Amino acid sequence: MNDKTDKPIYLDYSATTPIDERVVAEMLKYMGPDATFGNPASRSHAYGWQAEAAVEQARQHIADLVGADPREIIFTSGATESDNLAIKGVAHFNKKRGQHIITCKTEHKAVLDSCRQLEREGYEVTYLDPEQNGLVDLEKLKAAMRDDTTLVSIMHVNNEIGVIQDIEAIGNACRERKIVFHVDAAQSAGKVPIDLASLPVDLMSFSAHKIYGPKGMGALYVQRKPRVRLEAQMHGGGHERGMRSGTLATHQIVGMGEAFRIANEEMATENERLITLRNQLWDGLKDMEEVYINGDFEQRVAGNLNISFNYVEGESLLMALKDLAISSGSACTSASLEPSYVLRALGRNDELAHSSIRFSMGRYTTSKDIETTIKHVRTAVEKLRELSPLWDMYKDGIDLDSIEWAAH
Amino acid sequence: MAYGEKVLDHYENPRNVGKFDQNEDNIGTGMVGAPACGDVMRLQIKVNDEGVIEDAVFKTYGCGSAIASSSLLTEWVKGKTLDEAKAIKNTELAEELALPPVKIHCSVLAEDAINAAVEDYRKKNA
């Protein structure tokens, strides 16, 4: 428990983050009858002009963090909508040119399920297997490219294992074949430096709530030069250059802008702090037997550590760690009993996939939190291993693969 | 996922955790489930000359409900004859622990475990 609040220690920043108090303060300026409440699309009075100015300021902050032109930022309801708009939008626009799309098995469900939908519409999708460290092999990606490939979608930072893909190399390979390249950057914006002015990326999805902004707010970067064309998925008043209709949510947008502005200022120092915390956590656990890091350790976002505790089942471990707010995978899939599809795609065996815990640290995590976490985790794992027949067998030198299990 | 009070009690204070020597004649061992599915239960019974289960132990790799199901089962089978133990139904375990539908398979696995343990004992002593 957190000493001050008596709440579980929050180590699930990859699922969501609290809104920073500075962001809340900005947002409040646009809520209430005395606030700047106008419709940014109203051109005939000051209420509208003021709201529009606030929206454009926020757009500038977002563009600044990722090295884009503000005119390349399209506001959406979140990274899921951005992914849908990018993938379906590009696929539909280029339907006559080709109907093949390439992505990776460890992508977020918003990407995978958008691709599944396109498959139902008759498109063909190649789902690449990542390497064991979670990274996409460039040669395998190139080999999958065809003349009718119109889109490649690869995420920047994985939400479960935190690995950072080499989007520059992937983008260059796409440019050579004139294939549109979309990157889901929900987990990387504000955590990994991004310079879209130099990166060969055509579309990039962003989320506000992953970096201390409000939920229900996101953006899609759509490159202007050369211009990326896509078909709108939401029709109406023609907002956002016709790419996404719907009245702009001024207070949400302002919140996202402020969150991105703060991230831009603090990213470098914050990353150093998070790496120290991550190392502290790993140093406190790595001497335990049969403990494995999932995903590449070096090519990894600062706040993420995904660990498998072999011979301990993940759900029971989460239950033992009720004083910690952690997850055994992504929040989107934690309602299901299936082991992580991401870890399975890495080739992790079922036991290790069943025994993984994602620790994700953030702005309000302290060294004391990590100290407490280490203590809890060690106690819980030891307790559950005492209970585990698999641990017994491992200790007796029995190879678990030599046993014929009755799958049920 | 929210757990029921009884599941939590068995999970926090599991009864009869342990291991008997499975080569002994008076021991019956049932190991069911598979690591791939996220559940493995090992239930062992010690049977006296009258054919009554005088002791039982378990170890379980699995979720809290699987641990609770096997812990509760070791309590129930003690003092029962082999036939009485085999007659225990998963629905009784599920009801006692108030397992939600997604966790019913844990009680099924426990029923399989006691059946396998009794079979093992009978095979050895046939």
Side-chain angles (χ1 to χ4, degrees):
Chain A
M1 292 283 166
N2 184 309
D3 295 339
K4 282 183 222 143
T5 60
D6 207 36
K7 284 187 199 160
I9 295 172
Y10 191 75
L11 291 174
D12 210 7
Y13 283 86
S14 297
T16 192
T17 61
I19 306 181
D20 188 296
E21 53 271 31
R22 292 167 287 182
V23 173
V24 174
E26 277 308 303
M27 290 175 72
L28 286 174
K29 295 179 187 167
Y30 300 88
M31 296 159 83
D34 298 325
T36 307
F37 68 85
N39 187 331
S42 296
R43 294 285 157 88
S44 52
H45 49 68
Y47 292 89
W49 304 332
Q50 286 167 5
E52 190 193 18
V55 165
E56 293 317 312
Q57 179 64 255
R59 208 188 296 275
Q60 183 70 54
H61 288 321
I62 293 161
D64 286 346
L65 176 67
V66 296
D69 183 299
R71 290 170 294 181
E72 295 174 313
I73 302 297
I74 303 299
F75 289 118
T76 67
S77 63
T80 289
E81 189 193 329
S82 300
D83 289 342
N84 273 265
L85 173 57
I87 293 167
K88 294 178 197 165
V90 167
H92 290 161
F93 189 87
N94 294 296
K95 192 169 184 176
K96 283 192 185 133
R97 192 160 72 81
Q99 296 189 42
H100 179 239
I101 293 156
I102 301 172
T103 185
C104 177
K105 286 181 179 168
T106 52
E107 289 294 309
H108 190 270
K109 289 284 183 190
V111 167
L112 293 176
D113 284 3
S114 294
C115 289
R116 290 269 180 243
Q117 174 57 28
L118 289 171
E119 282 184 295
R120 281 190 285 274
E121 293 171 20
Y123 290 79
E124 234 186 292
V125 182
T126 300
Y127 300 91
L128 294 171
D129 281 303
E131 300 304 292
Q132 279 194 353
N133 60 4
L135 299 173
V136 170
D137 182 304
L138 193 60
E139 295 312 313
K140 287 181 189 165
L141 173 68
K142 282 183 184 166
M145 290 175 172
R146 311 190 318 210
D147 290 341
D148 64 340
T149 308
T150 54
L151 175 72
V152 168
S153 180
I154 299 290
M155 73 205 313
H156 196 187
V157 165
N158 183 272
N159 50 314
E160 289 195 26
I161 55 178
V163 298
I164 307 171
Q165 302 286 356
D166 185 353
I167 54 171
E168 186 173 4
I170 295 170
N172 283 328
C174 291
R175 289 273 151 99
E176 277 171 31
R177 300 286 301 258
K178 294 194 166 47
I179 297 169
V180 177
F181 182 36
H182 166 248
V183 175
D184 177 349
Q187 296 283 352
S188 68
K191 300 169 189 172
V192 179
I194 296 170
D195 182 27
L196 288 166
S198 60
L199 278 171
V201 170
D202 301 304
L203 298 149
M204 190 176 263
S205 301
F206 302 110
S207 166
H209 78 101
K210 304 289 189 189
I211 56 168
Y212 313 96
K215 293 172 182 61
M217 190 64 224
L220 179 67
Y221 160 84
V222 183
Q223 184 178 259
R224 279 166 59 87
K225 286 177 186 165
R227 186 170 169 212
V228 175
R229 308 288 299 272
L230 46 79
E231 200 180 280
Q233 304 295 304
M234 188 75 78
H235 302 96
H239 307 76
E240 300 296 272
R241 296 165 199 280
M243 283 186 264
R244 203 281 192 177
S245 288
T247 298
L248 292 174
T250 315
H251 62 294
Q252 296 283 91
I253 289 169
V254 164
M256 182 172 185
E258 183 64 4
F260 274 57
R261 187 192 66 75
I262 294 169
N264 204 5
E265 265 179 18
E266 301 181 354
M267 177 162 58
T269 45
E270 178 67 357
N271 274 349
E272 268 180 49
R273 202 181 70 84
L274 287 173
I275 285 182
T276 310
L277 292 177
R278 187 179 78 191
N279 289 341
Q280 183 193 349
L281 179 57
W282 180 232
D283 287 344
L285 300 173
K286 69 182 178 193
D287 62 307
M288 297 173 77
E289 279 181 85
E290 290 291 305
V291 171
Y292 301 91
I293 289 189
N294 297 308
D296 197 273
F297 192 67
E298 299 304 324
Q299 283 296 322
R300 178 184 286 264
V301 72
N304 170 295
L305 199 58
N306 187 311
I307 304 180
S308 284
F309 300 90
N310 209 0
Y311 311 118
V312 173
E313 192 272 334
E315 200 181 319
S316 64
L317 187 53
L318 289 183
M319 200 171 160
L321 295 172
K322 58 183 187 310
D323 291 345
L324 306 178
I326 47 180
S327 70
S328 62
S330 65
C332 320
T333 47
S334 63
S336 74
L337 300 171
E338 288 298 305
S340 154
Y341 70 91
V342 171
L343 296 187
R344 283 206 147 152
L346 302 193
R348 281 294 197 210
N349 67 27
D350 290 316
E351 292 99 292
L352 285 175
H354 269 294
S355 68
S356 73
I357 299 280
R358 176 183 74 181
F359 300 92
S360 47
M361 294 151 267
R363 193 169 285 171
Y364 306 99
T365 311
T366 64
S367 174
K368 179 104 192 315
D369 290 340
I370 299 299
E371 208 178 293
T372 312
T373 299
I374 293 168
K375 245 181 268 168
H376 282 309
V377 170
R378 295 188 74 105
T379 311
V381 170
E382 275 162 35
K383 175 195 157 162
L384 290 169
R385 281 181 173 170
E386 277 308 303
L387 272 177
S388 167
L390 303 181
W391 178 249
D392 261 5
M393 293 162 80
Y394 162 71
K395 281 293 179 184
D396 291 344
I398 298 168
D399 176 11
L400 293 183
D401 292 334
S402 71
I403 294 174
E404 273 189 42
W405 301 100
H408 56 282
Chain B
M1 178 168 306
Y3 291 92
E5 232 171 83
K6 284 179 178 160
V7 170
L8 279 174
D9 176 40
H10 277 275
Y11 174 77
E12 303 276 355
N13 313 291
R15 332 288 203 257
N16 309 308
V17 175
K19 187 182 175 186
F20 294 142
D21 180 353
Q22 61 181 28
N23 298 317
E24 297 279 336
D25 281 345
N26 62 340
I27 302 298
T29 301
M31 187 153 76
V32 295
C37 310
D39 299 295
V40 177
M41 273 182 203
R42 186 180 64 207
L43 183 77
Q44 295 183 296
I45 51 174
K46 185 183 278 181
V47 185
N48 68 17
D49 297 339
E50 284 79 52
V52 172
I53 297 169
E54 60 177 27
D55 203 359
V57 290
F58 85 98
K59 284 204 180 189
T60 291
Y61 162 90
C63 67
S65 302
I67 290 169
S69 297
S70 37
S71 169
L72 175 64
L73 188 63
T74 58
E75 283 193 318
W76 279 6
V77 299
K78 278 197 217 180
K80 285 198 163 66
T81 65
L82 295 176
D83 284 335
E84 284 168 349
K86 275 198 81 163
I88 295 172
K89 289 279 161 274
N90 82 288
T91 46
E92 299 168 64
L93 291 164
E95 197 177 328
E96 174 70 16
L97 294 170
L99 296 182
V102 291
K103 293 296 181 185
I104 297 298
H105 71 277
C106 298
S107 65
V108 174
L109 205 59
E111 185 185 320
D112 292 347
I114 182 63
N115 287 338
V118 170
E119 285 310 310
D120 180 59
Y121 172 82
R122 284 185 168 152
K123 213 185 282 173
K124 276 188 195 170
N125 294 277

